[in-house]
Amino acid sequence: MAPSVRLSPATRSLFDEPLAIAVQGLGPRQQVTLRASLRDETGQLFQASAHYQAGDDGELDLARCPALPGGSFSGLEPMGLLWALQPQKPFWRLIKRDVQSPFLLQLEVFEGHGERPGRLLAQAQHERAFLRDGVRRVPVREGRIRATLFLPPGEDTVPGIIDIHGLGGGLCEHRASLLANHGFATLALAYYQFEDLPQKPNKLHLEYFEEAVNYMLQHPQVKGPGVGLLSFSKGGEVSLAMAAFLKNIMAVASLNGPVAATCIPLSYKDKTIPTLTEDEHKAKAINSKILDYSDVLDDPFQAPGNQSLIPLEKAEAQFLFIVGQDDRVVKSEYFATEVCKLLQAQGKQNFQILSYPGTGHCMDPPFFPLYPIGNHPVFQKRAVLGGELRAYSKAQAHAWSQIQAFFKKYL
């Protein structure tokens, strides 16, 4: 019998779901190389490969067979071919713009463990989708709000979450779409550099975000009395400010977010939170082309009564701080630890910190490739963002399940 690739689910799975991979019909203890390939929407190629040896029965099940040294990873890693995908173009990030179409994953089995791939023995294609059947994608242009709402199947009321991204601007839908598959009404919210929103805002007005909260709460499918916020980087700081100043925020999960205003001041009514000072001269050169910006932000905890700190003691919400210990953009672990000390000193216990070793600034849902070096969100120069492949893959999967559990508990 000719070798064949067996996948479960067979033809299509959600991007954040595990995929079982096996090869049948090999010779006893036959040595093979497996390669996974995926092209993004611009045509850029991402690949990972691993060396394996079939069992005595000619079967190779990635859930039971460890990868041998010499490929993109080694050891027992059933999903290694997906989490180890790396761009062929250096410093390129995998981004999903159109969540209505899947990524196409190509799996190939080659003979031997050579430098160059041997004879092709078997191959398969598989769709990695962002929307479960029945999830609705609704563009939102209400008042000033520019967003996309993802609604789970059915008419039941479900918890509502607003998803706020970082300083990249535009409208990011990949995380919100995946979260909606798990039973949340999720609003992917743009706040600048999108359609008629400001290109270069000199202030972020919390009234805009308040409009989004009110929109969610009046939606017939959103279960009140409040909403959750899922946020990353600059969005984390925005969501903390929303919890401090706005009503009806029940739970905030912040991924590598500052706890003080950075880059763009935040304002609500007659109050403005000024930004922390950033000193680009404190950047360190890793080599001639790559900089480390981890020390450029002023420490908001050094100056007592720092005006840039977000007054989290005013917030009623529950907080989940998710931080990468190797974050080189924001000192997110330090920020979260210090701000929780302040909350504790006020007698509050509405917070928890999840801290992940080997994890850098960019934290996406599971199986998005590691992005350890890329454009700095503020200085627009090539910078180290942090992270290490295997540790990051574990952090992604763990954090994603914890985020869902957190919102199920508090919404």
Side-chain angles (χ1 to χ4, degrees):
M1 128 178 162
S4 63
V5 179
R6 191 178 73 233
L7 302 173
S8 178
T11 54
R12 186 182 176 98
S13 57
L14 291 171
F15 195 89
D16 61 342
E17 280 182 342
L19 174 65
I21 302 170
V23 185
Q24 296 167 301
L26 297 169
R29 307 191 70 75
Q30 183 174 357
Q31 294 197 332
V32 289
T33 298
L34 268 62
R35 184 169 75 187
S37 311
L38 176 155
R39 285 192 186 274
D40 72 6
E41 290 157 329
T42 68
Q44 289 297 335
L45 181 65
F46 288 74
Q47 280 190 331
S49 66
H51 297 328
Y52 285 99
Q53 181 171 311
D56 292 331
D57 54 0
E59 290 269 326
L60 171 59
D61 181 346
L62 271 56
R64 294 202 301 267
C65 289
L68 305 170
S72 305
F73 59 93
S74 61
L76 188 63
E77 295 289 351
M79 286 295 286
L81 285 169
L82 282 85
W83 62 246
L85 285 167
Q86 285 293 284
Q88 301 305 289
K89 182 179 180 176
F91 316 121
W92 193 257
R93 187 175 190 187
L94 184 67
I95 291 172
K96 189 66 174 127
R97 297 278 177 221
D98 174 15
V99 297
Q100 295 177 99
S101 69
F103 277 133
L104 197 59
L105 183 71
Q106 182 90 20
L107 287 156
E108 297 163 299
V109 184
F110 298 100
E111 207 168 44
H113 291 168
E115 280 292 296
R116 289 212 170 86
R119 185 165 61 96
L120 179 67
L121 301 175
Q123 60 181 328
Q125 280 193 335
H126 186 85
E127 290 184 349
R128 296 288 276 171
F130 284 76
L131 294 175
R132 193 186 291 288
D133 288 347
V135 171
R136 282 160 294 157
R137 177 185 177 276
V138 184
V140 178
R141 305 291 181 271
E142 294 252 339
R144 291 179 297 177
I145 307 169
R146 303 292 173 261
T148 305
L149 179 63
F150 293 94
L151 292 167
E155 300 300 313
D156 294 348
T157 61
V158 292
I161 295 169
I162 300 174
D163 186 14
I164 307 170
H165 274 265
L167 276 178
L171 180 60
C172 292
E173 297 184 1
H174 68 278
R175 192 170 60 196
S177 65
L178 290 172
L179 203 51
N181 299 321
H182 296 279
F184 299 96
T186 316
L187 186 76
L189 183 65
Y191 56 98
Y192 79 112
Q193 277 178 15
F194 182 73
E195 294 184 0
D196 56 352
L197 293 174
Q199 281 301 305
K200 287 190 170 172
N202 53 10
K203 234 182 221 179
L204 291 179
H205 298 278
L206 292 180
E207 286 84 352
Y208 172 77
F209 298 90
E210 190 170 34
E211 236 180 276
V213 173
N214 294 336
Y215 167 80
M216 286 295 274
L217 287 175
Q218 56 78 36
H219 194 284
Q221 246 189 287
V222 173
K223 176 179 125 184
V227 298
L229 306 176
L230 174 59
S231 52
F232 163 67
S233 196
K234 176 73 180 177
E237 150 205 330
V238 169
S239 68
L240 297 180
M242 289 168 73
F245 291 100
L246 309 181
K247 292 188 187 72
N248 303 317
I249 311 290
M250 313 268 291
V252 178
S254 166
L255 292 145
N256 287 334
V259 296
T262 62
C263 313
I264 309 168
L266 304 170
S267 80
Y268 185 62
K269 297 187 173 160
D270 51 2
K271 170 137 181 79
T272 297
I273 304 179
T275 58
L276 286 178
T277 309
E278 298 191 69
D279 185 354
E280 202 179 343
H281 293 107
K282 289 184 183 167
K284 297 188 280 282
I286 300 286
N287 61 33
S288 60
K289 295 203 175 113
I290 300 170
L291 292 154
D292 182 344
Y293 286 100
S294 43
D295 287 324
V296 300
L297 269 179
D298 264 14
D299 184 340
F301 299 99
Q302 289 303 332
N306 190 307
Q307 294 302 298
S308 301
L309 262 182
I310 292 156
L312 274 193
E313 66 280 358
K314 292 183 178 176
E316 297 296 312
Q318 291 289 328
F319 294 109
L320 175 63
F321 294 97
I322 297 171
V323 299
Q325 292 176 16
D326 192 34
D327 183 350
R328 306 283 193 93
V329 177
V330 175
K331 288 193 167 167
S332 46
E333 188 183 33
Y334 171 70
F335 280 1
T337 307
E338 291 301 311
V339 87
C340 290
K341 281 183 196 165
L342 293 181
L343 288 173
Q344 211 163 7
Q346 307 251 349
K348 296 205 157 208
Q349 291 177 328
N350 57 335
F351 55 85
Q352 50 180 310
I353 301 174
L354 290 175
S355 181
Y356 294 102
T359 300
H361 186 63
C362 295
M363 279 191 86
D364 272 310
F367 313 122
F368 270 88
L370 174 68
Y371 183 56
I373 295 171
N375 257 11
H376 190 279
V378 180
F379 301 109
Q380 296 302 319
K381 291 178 185 161
R382 190 152 290 157
V384 57
L385 309 173
E388 178 269 307
L389 193 56
R390 185 178 305 234
Y392 173 59
S393 75
K394 303 275 183 274
Q396 277 175 308
H398 187 265
W400 190 234
S401 67
Q402 294 298 305
I403 286 166
Q404 292 166 49
F406 172 72
F407 285 130
K408 282 187 174 129
K409 181 174 180 181
Y410 291 112
L411 298 180

